[in-house]
Amino acid sequence: MNSHQKVSMEQINSTFPPHNNEGLSEEQKLQTPGQGPASTIISVPSYEDPPKDFFAWSVFNTLYMNFCCLGFMALVFSVKARDRKVVGDLHAARSYGSTAKCLNICALTLTLLLLVPLLIVQFIGLRRP
């Protein structure tokens, strides 16, 4: 069929029969539970990101940046956060993870504040004759 040919309404109506709109009447009453077809309700909880435990960062800080054992303490809290996450206590896991993050930041910052001046003094001391 060419796109420029005219089609009669009878051909269109025979191709697409009218729909039965009986299910859309406003007079239909609500059915009480148990009388109509069975339905299943599935509640889907909203997705929430799992809490972070900062375990790898804590291991790194324990091995290389362990100023005043802050890296080790961060590792302890990271393990606690991981344990709570496995058990399903997400609130406690977030709390322990946040503490581990703060300890990791403190350990890294204090170690760098200690090492950088020492390296500068060492570097300048080696250059002097």
Side-chain angles (χ1 to χ4, degrees), residues 103-124:
L103 288 172
N104 279 322
I105 290 170
C106 290
L108 183 68
T109 304
L110 292 174
T111 303
L112 289 177
L113 286 175
L114 180 69
L115 283 179
V116 170
L118 288 176
L119 289 175
I120 290 173
V121 168
Q122 181 71 23
F123 183 71
I124 291 173

Side-chain angles (χ1 to χ4, degrees), residues 41-79:
I41 298 173
I42 300 173
S43 71
V44 179
S46 62
Y47 178 74
E48 203 172 301
D49 288 336
K52 296 182 180 181
D53 55 14
F54 304 102
F55 184 74
W57 190 12
S58 298
V59 169
F60 174 80
N61 280 344
T62 300
L63 296 176
Y64 300 111
M65 306 280 179
N66 199 14
F67 181 78
C68 291
C69 295
L70 288 176
F72 178 71
M73 290 307 297
L75 181 63
V76 168
F77 278 95
S78 293
V79 170

Side-chain angles (χ1 to χ4, degrees), residues 2 11 18-19 39-41 45 54 56 58 74 82 89 92 101 119:
N2 190 355
Q11 289 176 333
H19 295 286
S39 63
T40 304
I41 298 173
F54 304 102
S58 298
R82 184 168 283 190
D89 187 4
K101 180 181 175 182
L119 289 175

